[in-house]
Amino acid sequence: MAFRPLGDRVLVKRVQEEEKTKGGIIIPDNAKEKPQEGEVVAVGPGARDEDGEFIKPELNIGDRILFGKWSGSEVKIDGEDLIIMKESDVLGVLS
């Protein structure tokens, strides 16, 4: 299924967190915190300004980003857990 976010929204796939600590302790799934890092899967066309002109989004597909702990809405598309959030919820791009 093809999905295209509307406005200034982006579709993000969470990056998988490490299963072990640096000391070698395995962390069970129920004790893990959800990572606040992800990869942009799809980007909307951008928001509109007061004159009705599109403001081009700064994010691109494939960007690795950091986002707030409670940002966005979790959705399941084609059996994959993803997050839809506004571009303003993104804290920064990792290089």
Side-chain angles (χ1 to χ4, degrees), residues 40-51:
V40 177
V41 177
V43 180
R48 290 188 182 265
D49 63 11
E50 293 175 2
D51 299 326

Side-chain angles (χ1 to χ4, degrees), residues 15 37-39 59 62-66 90-95:
V15 173
E37 185 178 329
E39 181 179 344
L59 297 174
D63 284 348
R64 283 181 71 97
I65 60 168
L66 289 176
V90 175
L91 303 175
V93 178
L94 298 168
S95 32

